[in-house]
Amino acid sequence: MLATKGQRLANYLIDLVIHNIINVVPLLFAWILYEFFGNADLSIWLDSLDSVVDFFISYVIIVIYYMIMESITGRSLGKYVTNTKVLMADGTQPEPYAIFIRSISRLIPFNAFSFLGNLPKGWHDTLSKTVVVDIKKYNQEREMASSINEIGMES
């Protein structure tokens, strides 16, 4: 029922591409301002940012991306592609605070290495008490449990 390591890796890579696209938007906007309006202020400001500020802004964008996507749908764009979803460990929909903890926890250095264990579960899953499930397998397991409950009620 848990998403496989392969699905989790695909989620990460797809979302990484999305993050990079989102991070390029201000540069694209600055180019449009300069090319069409002759205004180079945004370009100059973006060029003046030091690497620490740039790094911080990039991570804020990542946290906002996950907060919006996973709070509303339980899924990032990568999870849509791999047909996976975030749930609380008890199978309920994720609470906003859990998504916040999950999103912030992604900033932990070496978080990606937390997937090297046996379970396809990262520190951001453990700290937020969430899991990522393969939706098809999860629904099959729920249907089977429901069927077993119905059989038990008929006896």
Side-chain angles (χ1 to χ4, degrees):
M1 162 171 90
L2 289 178
T4 65
K5 286 183 181 183
Q7 286 172 308
R8 298 298 300 267
L9 178 61
N11 292 343
Y12 172 76
L13 293 175
I14 293 165
D15 289 332
L16 183 63
V17 169
I18 300 301
H19 300 157
N20 287 328
I21 290 169
I22 292 170
N23 284 331
V24 168
V25 169
L27 298 174
L28 181 62
F29 187 66
W31 177 80
I32 290 170
L33 281 176
Y34 179 72
E35 285 296 317
F36 294 102
F37 303 105
N39 185 338
D41 293 341
L42 183 58
S43 290
I44 293 168
W45 181 75
L46 289 171
D47 284 340
S48 72
L49 295 177
D50 66 20
S51 59
V52 173
V53 173
D54 186 41
F55 184 79
F56 178 75
I57 290 170
S58 177
Y59 272 103
V60 167
I61 290 170
I62 289 170
V63 169
I64 291 169
Y65 166 75
Y66 281 113
M67 285 290 301
I68 291 170
M69 295 298 295
E70 291 183 347
S71 290
I72 294 170
T73 66
R75 302 167 85 179
S76 65
L77 293 176
K79 289 177 186 69
Y80 274 102
V81 172
T82 63
N83 202 32
T84 57
K85 183 175 185 171
V86 176
L87 294 173
M88 297 301 294
D90 64 5
T92 60
Q93 295 302 313
E95 299 290 331
Y97 76 91
I99 295 298
F100 177 73
I101 297 297
R102 181 180 171 78
S103 300
I104 293 293
S105 299
R106 292 175 195 276
L107 307 181
I108 296 172
F110 308 112
N111 179 52
F113 293 119
S114 64
F115 285 93
L116 295 178
N118 291 335
L119 287 176
K121 203 169 176 188
W123 292 331
H124 62 280
D125 299 315
T126 305
L127 294 170
S128 62
K129 298 180 176 81
T130 59
V131 293
V132 176
V133 298
D134 180 305
I135 294 172
K136 184 177 178 183
K137 291 177 187 174
Y138 175 74
N139 287 337
Q140 287 173 342
E141 197 166 304
R142 283 184 54 196
E143 287 174 22
M144 188 173 6
S146 177
S147 296
I148 291 171
N149 284 340
E150 286 178 17
I151 292 170
M153 296 172 100
E154 292 175 6
S155 305

